[in-house]
Amino acid sequence: MDTTLADTLVGRVLDGRYRIQERIARGGMATVYRALDLRLDRPVAVKVMHPTLAEDADFVSRFTREAKSAARLSHPNVVAVFDQGSDGGVVFLVMEYIDGATLRDLLRERGRLSARQSLDVMAPVLAALEAAHGAGIVHRDIKPENVLIAVDGRIKVADFGLARAIADANLTATTGLLIGTAAYLAPEQIEHGTADPRTDLYAAGIMLYELLTGRPPYVGATPMAVVFKHVHEQVPAPSLVRPEVPRQIDALVLDATQREPADRPPTAGELLEQLQAAARTLPAEPLDLTQRTQVLGAHLTTVLRKEQAHTLVGPPAPPPTAVDRSRPRRPWLHGWRIAVLLLVLVTLAAAATGAYLGLHQGPHHGNSSGALSANAATTSAAAPATTVMPDFDGLTRADADQKAFTSQVDVTYGPDQFSPTVPTGRVMSQDSTANATVDVHTPVQLTLSKGPQPVDLPANLVGMTLTAAKAALLGVGLDLGQHPSQYSDTVVKNAIISVTTQGAQPPGTSIDVVVSKGPTPVAIPDESGRSSAAALADLKAKNFSNVSTIDAYSDTVDKDNVISQTPKPPATGQPNVAITLVISKGPQLFAVPNLFGLTVTEAKSALAKVGMDAKVIDIRGGSNEHVLSQEPAKDLARPHGTIVTIRIF
């Protein structure tokens, strides 16, 4: 049954402009329809929020604000937002209509992509993120469902801003929505509910892992089980699942999916540059998408299945499993047991026949009897007993010894050898062909495995950054392990101080290192009130090298003494911390104005303009009250607060 027949929105015109034609997708937060913009006569995609969201006034407000922000984002790899609105309780977003499919559809059909195809898909995704982050927009929900692939091969990212509108609304108690599919959530989203551009890079790294391997790195019975792994485990290298994945692509995934945001590439642009550099080392492998004509549904599945036979990407390989050393029953083993049983029966029959003949020969047949006995002895010596050479492959030494004893072959052991595939202590080869018929006590020499051959640590790890060290370790088949940090007065910040794991190690070993936090912070002395010379000498003696001074007037601190400093005491810092001292120039001086001939009122006003006051002495007791003299004299430099004595007559 066509589900669109029961959809009440199909055929409706929203906002007097958008005629809903058919439903093309339905998710946990919204339903997407193909519609016709009646005003511009063009197809559009209309995303209608589910009623639970539409009834929340706070969400509608945030949704409107985020839609306006997303509409300002114009980039060839971003699905354009044309309009947003509400109509009769229906809250909707109008977007560019992409004739094609989602990346999730492609993965369902093909299982996984090759390394080069995966990079070619991720490049436009990172370009879209770089543009969005530059505009101040964090997606928060990067996953294959939000990556659209047009029939002409264009790749576009959808739903910028929508996840934030939902995350910021108070909907948890009523909807139970988990913002961001659990498989792609960054640890900071889970632990703190925060997101920044590096959160999108984590999700992009998870998506690249899935493109390469056909599955996300973490799976669990519940979303919470997956969430727990994101918080507490480091994403493994894709090559552990698909050994053909190049090491430099392993490094891309591991860089983007570091649990600490500060350890990831700082921007999508930088990750894109690393991705493009890795892509240049691989041969081109076009991802043929030109035959698709449907967005979703059974039509897409049919087209993709027809195309599968012609694509450069083969069907998904089964996930690798541990080597089963229990060794299933071999069909020949049952037949061998039957052969041994028949041999025993024949031998017993021959012995019985011989005994019978010996018992029934008369004395006159002595010579014949002797000849018969001699012939029997000759026949026995010419046909020694045989056995079947066991297959010792993968057995432990104890199991091999037991099997050799049971099969009556004589086993010896040659020097142990390294093997990248056979576990330590198990048989990796034998010098006699397994399953061949041989004489009993035939010698066979077995070689036991010493496990993978250890590899030397890369030279000069000390002093490298974590990113450089990780790449160097991956290059020789090792992984970066724990990397606690500590202060160092000799190693620059973020560089490796020491390598905890020493000596050659088996491939895949995690190498632990210690990273520098820079020089040990020390207490910054309080230089307030000291002379500038004494303060500078004190800071220099305590190895603070980045010290500057600023001069300022002060009515309370003597000239050339320190008024204040930054950082303000008490404070600590490293020797290169910037310290600024404010040095007193003493009080600011102003010229005493000329008061001669002014009235008392005029004189006081003139003095007030320069922060001075008047002491009036009437020397004649007259009524004229004009200034006859002043002290200090005019034009002398004096500070604020100076009292000028004036005499009037």
Side-chain angles (χ1 to χ4, degrees):
M1 173 181 172
D2 188 348
T3 56
T4 60
L5 294 177
D7 195 319
T8 57
L9 278 179
V10 174
R12 179 174 168 180
V13 177
L14 295 179
D15 203 24
R17 178 173 180 177
Y18 305 107
R19 175 179 289 125
I20 304 299
Q21 296 177 321
E22 66 172 328
R23 188 172 75 194
I24 56 178
R26 182 178 177 85
M29 298 176 292
T31 301
V32 182
Y33 298 88
R34 182 168 59 83
L36 178 65
D37 183 346
L38 299 176
R39 186 176 304 171
L40 299 178
D41 192 27
R42 66 175 176 181
V44 293
V46 176
K47 175 166 285 196
V48 176
M49 298 299 107
H50 287 182
T52 305
L53 295 171
E55 291 169 2
D56 187 279
D58 183 46
F59 165 75
V60 173
S61 175
R62 295 180 186 277
F63 173 77
T64 301
R65 183 166 61 252
E66 293 298 328
K68 290 179 179 179
S69 177
R72 292 193 292 269
L73 184 58
S74 177
H75 189 272
N77 298 119
V78 174
V79 174
V81 174
F82 296 147
D83 194 7
Q84 63 80 30
S86 61
D87 184 347
V90 177
V91 177
F92 63 90
L93 185 70
V94 182
M95 304 174 296
E96 175 185 6
Y97 177 75
I98 304 299
D99 184 15
T102 68
L103 184 55
R104 173 62 67 205
D105 297 321
L106 183 65
L107 282 174
R108 286 195 187 106
E109 189 64 28
R110 298 190 178 182
R112 62 187 176 89
L113 304 182
S114 70
R116 178 56 189 265
Q117 290 172 335
S118 299
L119 298 185
D120 288 345
V121 168
M122 289 303 302
V125 173
L126 292 176
L129 290 177
E130 182 182 22
H133 296 164
I137 300 174
V138 178
H139 193 289
R140 299 168 179 249
D141 196 20
I142 291 295
K143 56 187 178 182
E145 288 80 355
N146 285 332
V147 178
L148 306 184
I149 307 175
V151 293
D152 60 4
R154 290 174 299 136
I155 295 176
K156 290 176 174 269
V157 181
D159 282 358
F160 277 98
L162 180 58
R164 179 175 180 179
I166 296 173
D168 289 346
N170 184 22
L171 295 166
T172 304
T174 57
T175 67
L177 291 175
L178 178 62
I179 305 307
T181 303
Y184 308 92
L185 286 176
E188 64 269 19
Q189 286 178 288
I190 300 164
E191 292 187 291
H192 312 297
T194 60
D196 65 15
R198 295 168 299 184
T199 304
D200 286 346
L201 298 191
Y202 184 93
I206 297 292
M207 193 161 69
L208 176 55
Y209 181 102
E210 185 172 4
L211 293 178
L212 293 164
T213 65
R215 67 189 189 194
Y218 300 134
V219 293
T222 65
M224 290 308 299
V226 176
V227 162
F228 182 87
K229 291 183 179 182
H230 279 289
V231 174
H232 297 285
E233 297 181 12
Q234 178 61 51
V235 172
S239 63
L240 296 178
V241 176
R242 297 293 177 188
E244 68 271 20
V245 174
R247 292 290 184 178
Q248 64 267 34
I249 299 181
D250 274 351
L252 285 175
V253 173
L254 296 179
D255 271 356
T257 57
Q258 288 295 308
R259 282 184 291 173
E260 290 295 332
D263 293 336
R264 301 171 202 156
T267 66
E270 181 168 322
L271 183 58
L272 176 59
E273 289 180 3
Q274 297 175 16
L275 183 145
Q276 290 170 333
R280 286 193 290 270
T281 67
L282 302 174
E285 194 170 349
L287 185 64
D288 184 9
L289 303 167
T290 58
Q291 299 303 315
R292 286 187 190 84
T293 58
Q294 299 294 329
V295 177
L296 294 168
H299 293 292
L300 171 66
T301 303
T302 301
V303 172
L304 285 173
R305 284 175 177 167
K306 289 179 180 179
E307 184 184 5
Q308 180 81 24
H310 304 289
T311 183
L312 292 176
V313 181
T321 58
V323 177
D324 184 3
R325 296 300 185 186
S326 62
R327 305 195 61 81
R329 291 183 177 271
R330 298 176 177 87
W332 54 264
L333 185 59
H334 181 64
W336 175 78
R337 287 173 175 166
I338 294 175
V340 171
L341 179 59
L342 290 175
L343 179 62
V344 171
L345 292 175
V346 170
T347 302
L348 290 175
T353 301
Y356 174 82
L357 291 175
L359 289 172
H360 290 79
Q361 296 295 328
H364 60 285
H365 295 296
N367 291 338
S368 299
S369 175
L372 178 62
S373 299
N375 289 338
T378 303
T379 303
S380 176
T386 61
T387 186
V388 174
M389 178 62 66
D391 183 354
F392 294 98
D393 182 44
L395 298 181
T396 64
R397 180 163 184 160
D399 290 343
D401 288 341
Q402 179 62 43
K403 178 165 280 193
F405 176 80
T406 302
S407 302
Q408 300 185 64
V409 296
D410 297 336
V411 66
T412 60
Y413 293 89
D416 294 354
Q417 296 182 11
F418 293 112
S419 170
T421 56
V422 181
T424 302
R426 293 184 178 270
V427 176
M428 58 182 292
S429 66
Q430 63 189 78
D431 66 355
S432 293
T433 303
N435 307 324
T437 300
V438 297
D439 294 340
V440 296
H441 301 300
T442 294
V444 56
Q445 181 172 289
L446 307 182
T447 301
L448 297 178
S449 169
K450 294 196 292 185
Q453 183 168 6
V455 295
D456 293 328
L457 300 183
N460 305 321
L461 283 177
V462 173
M464 287 186 182
T465 64
L466 278 178
T467 300
K470 185 188 304 179
L473 289 168
L474 286 173
V476 297
L478 300 172
D479 293 326
L480 179 64
Q482 300 296 319
H483 46 274
S485 57
Q486 66 183 44
Y487 293 109
S488 172
D489 296 331
T490 57
V491 180
V492 298
K493 185 177 181 180
N494 296 327
I496 292 176
I497 300 172
S498 61
V499 181
T500 306
T501 309
Q502 297 294 327
Q505 301 293 327
T509 301
S510 294
I511 307 302
D512 297 338
V513 300
V514 179
V515 182
S516 173
K517 294 197 292 185
T520 305
V522 295
I524 301 174
D526 185 359
E527 305 292 351
S528 300
R530 303 186 69 179
S531 70
S532 60
L536 291 171
D538 183 42
L539 292 171
K540 182 178 181 181
K542 293 175 180 175
N543 296 322
F544 291 101
S545 57
N546 189 8
V547 182
S548 60
T549 60
I550 299 174
D551 294 335
Y553 291 107
S554 174
D555 294 333
T556 58
V557 179
D558 293 340
K559 187 175 184 297
D560 293 330
N561 285 359
V562 177
I563 301 172
S564 62
Q565 69 184 69
T566 53
K568 294 181 179 180
T572 59
Q574 296 177 342
N576 62 348
V577 65
I579 300 175
T580 303
L581 303 179
V582 181
I583 309 299
S584 173
K585 296 194 294 183
Q588 187 172 4
L589 301 180
F590 301 88
V592 178
N594 183 8
L595 306 177
F596 181 76
L598 301 180
T599 66
V600 172
T601 300
E602 292 171 339
K604 287 183 176 181
S605 176
L607 290 170
K609 291 179 180 179
V610 292
M612 301 179 188
D613 203 355
K615 177 182 179 183
V616 181
I617 300 176
D618 189 346
I619 61 174
R620 295 186 180 178
S623 59
N624 196 9
E625 295 187 350
H626 286 80
V627 177
L628 177 63
S629 65
Q630 66 183 74
E631 184 182 351
K634 68 175 183 177
D635 297 332
L636 292 178
R638 293 292 185 270
H640 285 304
T642 298
I643 304 298
V644 178
T645 302
I646 59 175
R647 291 177 174 81
I648 62 173
F649 63 94

